[in-house]
Amino acid sequence: FAVEILRADASRLQFASGGETFDLRRTETGYAGSARGAKGGVKPAALVLRDWPPAERLEAYEGVYDLGGGKTIALALGNEKSGFFYLERPSELTGVAIGLSPVEFIAGECFYCVDPVRLRFKVVFDEAGKVSGLRVRESGKETFAPRLDLYREERVTFTNPAGVQLAGSLFLPSGSGPHPAVVIGHGSGAQSRHGFYARIRFMADAYARRGIAVLAYDKQGVGDSKGDWETAGLDVLAEDVAAGLRYLKTRPEIDAKRLGVSGGSQAGLILPRAARLFPGVRFIQLQGGSPGLKVEEQERLRLLLQMRADGFPPSEIDRAMRMRSLI
């Protein structure tokens, strides 16, 4: 949308855009205030002044940090190195980390919220220039969170039966092996070894910190992998997963008798196919499989079940379903 500046000075910013008028006052991280719609409705609004470091620098920050008392925070880039995300454990709170400077980040109370700030952290380096930890401020309390050495990440490549080279990361747990291992498959679309909202990366972290090695790779035609996911059918993508299992079998750090596959969404259609191609699979973990329904049918069913669960009356559900049909 076009932006019309109404007022801009050191303390206040007023502008109109997309049929809304914003009235924001300067804060520590940017501006916060309200937005008034064309029909007079008012809602909170915030604007953060970002200083976003390049993905190569954010990669150096990826890892797990110790908050003390059994709590940790993991940092990871999102799909195809877009976005930067955090995951706290054991609370499982997650969201986007917004850069105020190349080393300082904030997060709000919901996934994409920026105001009020719930979490703030600053990257700390040792004398050699390597990341040693985070200076974390949460709920008014400041803590130094040292970086944990829970596993080792190694960049690897392997090839599917058609000769397509795939690239990924092998997460090897600390301690003596051989380790059980899992290959993480992808959902639909262009997905890298990180996954949407860093879900694959966070899943790899969860496995590796518990002594299970993980192979997470870029789908064909994504990141550093060759090929083309848009022309590859389900059977071809299953061949890629099976190729990952065969690669793990060649590694001395891996227990070839304890291999499994994991994934969600479209992976629900791919992983069983991969298991037929690699009979040694010991388990398949489906994190929400993919039903035999088209997207439109899925969305209609999701809306119906969600509104019933939320207690909407039948008349409202019928109205929503008609609107869904129009969409």
Side-chain angles (χ1 to χ4, degrees), residues 163-180:
V164 176
Q165 186 181 78
L166 303 168
S169 293
L170 178 60
F171 297 82
L172 291 167
S174 300
S176 59
H179 306 286

Side-chain angles (χ1 to χ4, degrees), residues 239-288:
E239 288 279 9
D240 293 347
V241 174
L245 290 164
R246 294 187 194 100
Y247 170 76
L248 289 177
K249 198 173 178 179
T250 69
R251 297 287 303 231
E253 309 96 325
I254 304 300
D255 184 350
K257 295 181 179 179
R258 292 191 291 167
L259 300 178
V261 291
S262 177
S265 193
Q266 189 185 71
L269 301 173
I270 294 170
L271 299 185
R273 287 171 163 84
R276 290 202 302 268
L277 298 169
F278 188 88
V281 167
R282 296 297 300 272
F283 73 89
I284 300 175
Q285 180 196 38
L286 295 182
Q287 309 151 29

Side-chain angles (χ1 to χ4, degrees), residues 115-134:
D115 185 71
V117 175
R118 185 189 70 81
L119 170 70
R120 187 171 191 146
F121 61 89
K122 186 175 184 179
V123 181
V124 179
F125 303 87
D126 62 18
E127 292 181 356
K130 294 183 64 176
V131 177
S132 61
L134 305 176

